[in-house]
Amino acid sequence: MTLAVTRDSPLRGLLGGKTATVLAEQLGLHSVDDLLGHYPRRYAERGKLTDLASVRIGDEVTIVARVRSVTQRRMRNKRGTLTDVVVGDGRRSLSLVFFNQPWRAKQLAVGVTGLFAGKIGVRGNQLQLAHPECKIFGATNPALDPDSEPGEPVDEVESALTYASQLIPVYPASRGIQSWTIAECVRLVLDAVGDVEDPLPEVMRERRGLIGLTEAWRQIHQPESLAEAEPARLRLKWDEAVTVQVALARRRVAQAVNPATPRPIRAGGLLDAFDARLPFVLTAGQRVVGAEISHDLGGHKPMNRLLQGEVGSGKTVVALRAMLQVLDAGAQAAFLAPTEVLAAQHLRTLRSLLGPLGISGEFGAQEHATRITLLTGSLSVKARRAALAEAAGGGAGIVVGTHALLEEVVQFADLGLVVIDEQHRFGVEQRDVLRAKSAAPPHVLVLTATPIPRTVAMTVYGDLETTILTELPAGRAEVNTSVVPVRDKPGWLDRAWTRIVEEARTGGRTFIVCPRIGDDGATGSGAIGTGAAGNGAVGRLDDGDESPQPPAEDDAPPGDEDAGSPRRAPLAVLDLADTLRGGPLASLRLAVLHGRLPGDDKDVIMQAFARGDLDALVTTTVIEVGVDVPEASVMAIMDADRFGVSQLHQLRGRIGRGPRPGICLLVTEAPADSPARLRLDAVAATRDGFELARVDLASRREGNILGAAQSGRQSGLRLLSLLDDELIITQAREEATYLVALDPDLVGHPALAAQVARLSEDNRADYLDKA
């Protein structure tokens, strides 16, 4: 009795042990579903050569090219022969190098066209593939195609659909298994699998004009034309979108099962007293958002709301008013911050805003006053014990802290609201830990100053209701941003230092941000304006407080950096501070700030800077969010190309928070036309965070945004684009919400339930755990 082949069937029984092992070890493909979900990256055409201008050094490629010349010679320093085959596309050439394979000269005769696969290297000024795998078009004789397996019927492979048509699927491959082998494996599996139960309900497919799953698999892997592949891509994008949105919809339903304790607004309490003493008028946006949150807090359904706000839009005031409403209802609030510097800043901000309303039990406290307590990992034993007692006994109405709040020993008398600043620093497990510290689920308000495109909000934060706060409070100054190209115009950096000194003389203060702390053994110095163009990721930071966002992976052409020269290490705080103290900023009061400093030292330095006892801080990204110094007017970001677009926008938000106009200087050695430089130009051109978020999304690999497995494979979204497929994502969310409302456990949709289960088990979908 032959067992039916299903989506979960292992490949070993279909392809043989050796091939299945290679697919598993090299590409992480174990089942039928894995292999059929390994879609072609593109399609090559027999009559159309690959544009060699598109290949980059280091790429694993499969190209279609024609042999232009073949030379063979004996090697000088060792026995054997070297065969050099030059292939081309009519404009650019590529060298194929083979050692001790003299028969290649006969196989790869001038005029032969074929597929060539390997890793692009360079020899002199010539791109090359060393020992590439080859598949020759039209080969029917194993002597002409020695790369075929022993005993393999080459003419049968050539007559297979994938190689008989004009279109040849080119798959993501590896050194151990080539694209054409994957294509043959897919053909064998498609022949065996037959029709499978479709996870998308028929009514949904008809409503959205989608083909069936089995048909989609065949048309994406074996299309007769590019046009035929499009309906397949559309259908498979819908699979990805619906699966994610159903998982998130079920999470939203699950969160509503356990009711929260309503925390309705109470007249004449702490919130009213706070509103009466506010020295400014709330913006229209703050009032609207505040009303939405207030309504949520008064209900039995646990609030799970994401509040997006431009840098400086007043999110902290909105969050504080929500916390005060909860305090008026007799409960407590926890304010979770990602770093100790930010936690201390929030503590000072909240105390400043509340004034005598935040010092309960102290001289001068007003009626209805509460207490605010700080709980971080660097507190002394005595201070920590006192903070734990205030939280557990209810003496502290608001507890501000870092990850220390998540420890089991931290307990609350009645936790009614959790405010989480910068959600991307915390996972769903950490949020659940805080939820567990309350008998009833607390309300949750997530704050982020990182603008999030709508499609990302629906996918990464899909279990949260999203609110956007765009209006800036009155009195905020303009911030002008300029790129300082030290490679092309070194004199501009001298002028930048002069401007910083001029600002200090008139009361302005400056942040100078570096990607690295220093003293970590990396090669490099405080020298500025030397070295290769910075187009890569930030180097490893030995700083528990900072989490720099890596920039996009650039499509830099070969030769974009100085050939053969090692790229210098990113500029470091400790090195640069020494250089500036003995050079252009010798006349200023300058200090360093980074996450390795003890918590008390960081706090002392920040307070000195805020008071005006310091003119400049040389710092890491520890000041990225939440730091509020109205007199800070200059932000110089060194090696700015080593930061992501959103992170640059965040850093820029630390200046211009008062009446003094701000100046943001993006210092870089990136060449004028490089992708890194274009990103910096985009940041300089606009302060619209949502526009920059789209630039960031367009320039980065989406797997880096959603999260990728340790194996390095892309996220579970293989075809769906968060930038281009907003309509699909929106419609899939509607369909998922409707379907889960009718059938929350997916009892009537077993195939869809299995697909959601696969996604939940797939570590490529760890972005779901950010939600």
Side-chain angles (χ1 to χ4, degrees):
M1 177 178 175
T2 303
L3 295 177
V5 176
T6 69
R7 296 179 67 172
D8 294 320
S9 296
L11 294 175
R12 184 170 296 274
L14 297 169
L15 302 176
K18 181 180 178 181
T19 301
T21 298
V22 173
L23 287 171
E25 292 179 351
Q26 297 290 322
L27 298 172
L29 306 178
H30 302 273
S31 67
V32 166
D33 193 70
D34 290 338
L35 179 61
L36 296 185
H38 189 71
Y39 306 125
R41 177 180 289 144
R42 60 184 174 86
Y43 301 95
E45 299 179 58
R46 278 183 195 279
K48 186 176 180 181
L49 304 181
T50 300
D51 181 5
L52 294 180
S54 65
V55 302
R56 302 181 300 170
I57 296 173
D59 282 353
E60 289 282 353
V61 300
T62 299
I63 62 169
V64 180
R66 180 174 294 115
V67 176
R68 295 169 57 180
S69 67
V70 181
T71 58
Q72 198 169 81
R73 61 177 174 80
R74 292 194 173 276
M75 290 185 281
R76 295 187 187 125
N77 300 322
K78 58 180 70 174
R79 296 180 63 182
T81 59
L82 184 148
T83 304
D84 192 344
V85 179
V86 176
V87 299
D89 61 2
R91 294 181 300 251
R92 193 170 183 181
S93 61
L94 177 69
S95 175
L96 313 181
V97 179
F98 303 92
F99 297 97
N100 293 323
Q101 296 182 19
W103 44 266
R104 291 290 187 182
K106 183 177 180 181
Q107 178 202 28
L108 302 175
V110 173
V112 164
T113 302
L115 286 164
F116 306 98
K119 186 174 183 178
I120 294 288
V122 64
R123 183 178 60 178
N125 294 322
Q126 175 72 47
L127 294 176
Q128 79 167 17
L129 289 174
H131 281 279
E133 301 287 339
C134 308
K135 176 69 69 173
I136 307 306
F137 292 162
T140 56
N141 184 337
L144 296 179
D145 195 5
D147 287 331
S148 58
E149 294 290 330
E152 178 187 16
V154 179
D155 54 336
E156 289 184 18
V157 174
E158 280 299 305
S159 66
L161 182 60
T162 49
Y163 285 94
S165 66
Q166 285 294 105
L167 288 184
I168 303 167
V170 179
Y171 291 90
S174 72
R175 185 176 295 274
I177 188 165
Q178 299 306 327
S179 176
W180 48 81
T181 304
I182 297 172
E184 178 65 7
C185 292
V186 168
R187 182 184 70 82
L188 292 172
V189 168
L190 281 176
D191 288 346
V193 75
D195 287 329
V196 298
E197 185 178 0
D198 202 309
L200 299 191
E202 183 178 1
V203 64
M204 184 191 300
R205 299 199 307 271
E206 291 177 353
R207 185 161 51 237
R208 302 299 181 180
L210 304 174
I211 63 176
L213 177 60
T214 305
E215 184 181 2
W217 277 339
R218 295 189 185 282
Q219 288 185 195
I220 198 165
H221 289 292
Q222 300 173 342
E224 294 186 4
S225 66
L226 291 175
E228 188 178 73
E230 285 310 304
R233 290 178 62 84
L234 176 64
R235 160 57 206 255
L236 295 168
K237 284 183 179 184
W238 263 89
D239 272 50
E240 294 177 4
V242 169
T243 304
V244 170
Q245 293 303 329
V246 166
L248 293 170
R250 295 180 75 189
R251 183 170 292 171
R252 291 194 295 271
V253 169
Q255 288 169 350
V257 169
N258 297 319
T261 301
R263 314 288 182 178
I265 197 165
R266 180 171 68 85
L270 187 54
L271 177 57
D272 282 350
F274 171 73
D275 285 346
R277 75 179 303 273
L278 269 179
F280 51 83
V281 177
L282 295 175
T283 66
Q286 286 173 318
R287 290 194 296 272
V288 170
V289 170
E292 289 180 351
I293 294 172
S294 178
H295 178 268
D296 287 352
L297 293 174
H300 288 278
K301 178 184 176 183
M303 178 180 74
N304 286 283
R305 185 169 291 278
L306 171 68
L307 175 57
Q308 297 185 70
E310 279 284 12
V311 175
S313 60
K315 297 182 298 298
T316 303
V317 171
V318 172
L320 177 55
R321 295 185 74 252
M323 289 189 282
L324 296 180
Q325 178 174 330
V326 169
L327 267 58
D328 280 340
Q332 296 165 283
F335 199 134
L336 182 60
T339 69
E340 291 197 357
V341 167
L342 186 51
Q345 174 71 46
H346 280 314
L347 179 71
R348 287 193 295 271
T349 299
L350 296 178
R351 283 179 173 168
S352 175
L353 288 168
L354 285 172
L357 295 173
I359 54 173
S360 176
E362 300 180 27
F363 178 75
Q366 288 188 3
E367 186 183 5
H368 309 301
T370 188
R371 287 188 63 78
I372 310 173
T373 293
L374 179 68
L375 183 57
T376 64
S378 64
L379 290 180
S380 66
V381 173
K382 181 179 178 181
R384 176 179 173 81
R385 188 179 296 120
L388 290 172
E390 287 196 322
I398 300 174
V399 181
V400 179
T402 56
H403 290 77
L405 286 178
L406 304 173
E407 296 173 6
E408 186 175 350
V409 70
V410 179
Q411 299 297 323
F412 292 85
D414 183 9
L415 182 59
L417 173 64
V418 176
V419 177
I420 302 177
D421 198 16
E422 293 307 318
Q423 163 80 356
H424 65 279
R425 306 288 184 95
F426 303 99
V428 70
E429 297 91 349
Q430 293 162 314
R431 205 166 81 195
D432 286 344
V433 168
L434 277 175
R435 280 199 181 104
K437 295 180 183 292
S438 177
H443 299 284
V444 176
L445 178 62
V446 174
L447 310 179
T448 180
T450 304
I452 303 169
R454 184 166 176 263
T455 49
V456 179
M458 285 191 293
T459 305
V460 181
Y461 303 100
D463 69 337
L464 302 175
E465 300 297 326
T466 303
T467 301
I468 299 175
L469 186 62
T470 56
E471 186 179 0
L472 295 177
R476 293 295 173 92
E478 282 295 316
V479 175
N480 291 316
T481 305
S482 299
V483 176
V484 180
V486 292
R487 170 179 279 192
D488 305 326
K489 300 177 181 178
W492 284 27
L493 186 58
D494 295 333
R495 174 58 187 145
W497 301 132
T498 301
R499 183 59 188 272
I500 288 171
V501 173
E502 292 170 352
E503 282 288 314
R505 288 173 181 165
T506 60
R509 279 158 238 170
T510 298
F511 293 109
I512 303 168
V513 180
C514 297
R516 193 167 57 90
I517 298 173
D519 279 352
D520 55 2
T523 58
S525 69
I528 306 161
T530 61
N535 288 334
V538 179
R540 183 180 69 85
L541 299 183
D542 303 56
D543 193 336
D545 249 355
E546 286 95 327
S547 295
Q549 168 193 15
E553 298 191 26
D554 297 323
D555 295 324
D560 191 49
E561 299 189 7
D562 298 336
S565 64
R567 187 181 177 199
R568 68 160 172 80
L571 287 173
V573 166
L574 301 180
D575 298 331
L576 182 60
D578 288 342
T579 300
L580 295 177
R581 284 191 183 109
L585 303 188
S587 62
L588 301 189
R589 298 166 297 174
L590 184 146
V592 299
L593 181 70
H594 54 76
R596 281 199 221 134
L597 293 172
D600 289 345
D601 290 358
K602 286 184 282 191
D603 202 37
V604 167
I605 292 168
M606 276 305 306
Q607 290 190 53
F609 186 68
R611 286 194 307 268
D613 296 339
L614 294 171
D615 301 310
L617 281 184
V618 184
T619 177
T620 56
T621 55
V622 72
I623 53 95
E624 176 186 352
V625 291
V627 174
D628 189 3
V629 181
E631 294 77 17
S633 55
V634 181
M635 171 72 65
I637 305 176
M638 313 305 295
D639 283 339
D641 48 279
R642 307 210 183 212
F643 298 91
V645 171
S646 293
Q647 192 170 34
L648 293 172
H649 183 61
Q650 289 285 309
L651 289 167
R652 178 170 56 183
R654 300 307 103 208
I655 61 174
R657 302 176 74 86
R660 178 184 287 269
I663 304 166
C664 181
L665 304 172
L666 306 177
V667 183
T668 181
E669 294 175 352
D673 295 328
S674 67
R677 179 67 174 277
L678 294 176
R679 288 199 307 274
L680 298 184
D681 291 341
V683 173
T686 181
R687 289 184 69 192
D688 184 334
F690 289 92
E691 180 180 336
L692 289 175
R694 291 189 65 83
V695 171
D696 200 28
L697 183 58
S699 64
R700 300 172 66 200
R701 295 178 190 261
E702 293 186 12
N704 292 340
I705 296 168
L706 296 178
Q710 291 180 350
S711 65
R713 292 176 61 198
Q714 288 287 325
S715 72
L717 302 189
R718 297 154 181 152
L719 295 177
L720 192 71
S721 167
L722 299 182
L723 187 66
D724 301 326
D725 295 324
E726 180 172 348
L727 180 60
I728 293 175
I729 294 170
T730 302
Q731 292 176 343
R733 183 180 174 92
E734 294 170 357
E735 294 280 3
T737 301
Y738 176 74
L739 188 151
V740 171
L742 296 178
D743 184 8
D745 295 325
L746 304 180
V747 174
H749 303 87
L752 180 56
Q755 189 155 293
V756 172
R758 290 187 197 96
L759 180 70
S760 299
E761 294 166 0
D762 192 341
N763 62 358
R764 289 170 297 164
D766 62 355
Y767 58 90
L768 289 174
D769 290 336
K770 295 182 183 179

